[in-house]
Amino acid sequence: MLYGDAGSADAFGPGGGAELEARVAAYTDVARRRLAAGTEAELPEVRAWRRTYTRLGLRPTQYRCASESLLRRLRREGSLPRIHPVVDLCNAVSVAYAIPVAVLDADRIAEPWLQVRRAVGDETYTAFGGGIEHPAAGEVTFADSAGRAHARRWTNRQSGYSAVGAQTRRVLVVAEGMHNAAATDVAELTEAVRGELERLWGVKAEAAVLAGAGEFEFGE
């Protein structure tokens, strides 16, 4: 997990410039080289998430983890969606490592905590289209203190409510891996994102790797 504070809403900027484009391209090229050897379904990072989804009772080809969905789009369409400079960077890092990376607007998370846990059934999830959903009891989600779900099916789909946008001043970046080398790879990914945030936007960033049960304090 990584927390970055830009200090003001316009610090992340609407564009990002040539340096950002170069970094996005570099990470995306890493993913393209990996895909040249086979499909995303063959990558150990993706296979591990597919096994996890199967254990949760979900069809892994129906509900894909976020990194698999991005890799699949990259392989089929040759490019990634462009959403917001910070999200674009983290999506590129995600496909390079084949690890799901969520980028949340930290000011949209009801304090004092955000938990990765099974839903009770009364949590509220806001889709990107604005519709309201309620994760079924037992579904793994990110739930805050107000009972708002910021993800569906763990790493499958983020909430539009906490999506990063022009108003964003603080971001919480969450990367999760299930494969054998996850501890090492997630730590490396987190440091990569921290370095990029600090270099490209001058963001003060704090990072931590949680193994199993653990807590990460973020915010002011």
Side-chain angles (χ1 to χ4, degrees):
M1 303 185 76
L2 185 148
Y3 166 75
D5 189 341
S8 63
D10 61 355
F12 285 119
E19 187 175 2
L20 171 64
E21 293 302 318
R23 300 307 299 148
V24 168
Y27 286 113
T28 306
D29 284 345
V30 171
R32 288 194 178 97
R33 289 194 292 272
R34 297 191 72 184
L35 289 172
T39 69
E40 63 280 356
E42 301 173 60
L43 297 175
E45 300 88 346
V46 172
R47 290 204 310 270
W49 271 110
R50 285 193 170 200
R51 289 193 296 270
T52 299
Y53 273 46
T54 298
R55 289 197 295 270
L56 291 174
L58 300 171
R59 291 177 56 191
T61 55
Q62 180 179 4
Y63 300 109
R64 305 174 192 275
C65 73
S67 56
E68 180 180 357
S69 295
L70 286 171
L71 284 161
R72 191 166 182 255
R73 173 165 177 164
L74 180 62
R75 175 174 57 82
R76 291 184 167 192
E77 301 182 17
S79 63
L80 296 174
R82 306 310 294 265
I83 300 168
H84 177 280
V86 177
V87 177
D88 297 345
L89 170 68
C90 288
N91 280 348
V93 172
S94 177
V95 294
Y97 285 87
I99 292 173
V101 178
V103 190
L104 309 175
D105 186 327
D107 287 319
R108 303 287 278 175
I109 298 171
E111 298 179 354
W113 44 256
L114 175 71
Q115 293 180 316
V116 178
R117 63 167 173 80
R118 290 185 181 273
V120 176
D122 59 359
E123 293 82 1
T124 300
Y125 170 91
T126 304
F128 272 85
I132 301 299
E133 303 173 8
H134 298 283
E139 178 182 321
V140 179
T141 185
F142 294 8
D144 68 17
S145 300
R148 186 179 295 277
H150 293 273
R152 290 295 312 269
R153 303 175 189 90
W154 206 337
T155 59
N156 170 241
R157 184 160 53 104
Q158 283 186 235
S159 168
Y161 182 83
S162 51
V164 171
Q167 80 290 341
T168 300
R169 181 176 65 88
R170 303 186 301 153
V171 295
L172 178 67
V173 181
V174 183
E176 298 174 283
M178 290 290 181
H179 58 293
N180 290 338
T184 299
D185 292 346
V186 169
E188 182 179 316
L189 181 158
T190 302
E191 285 305 310
V193 173
R194 174 160 63 175
E196 301 292 2
L197 289 176
E198 293 180 345
R199 180 170 54 256
L200 294 171
W201 289 285
V203 172
K204 178 183 177 182
E206 302 174 4
V209 176
L210 306 182
E215 295 183 354
F216 173 59
E217 294 187 8
F218 67 95
E220 298 175 344

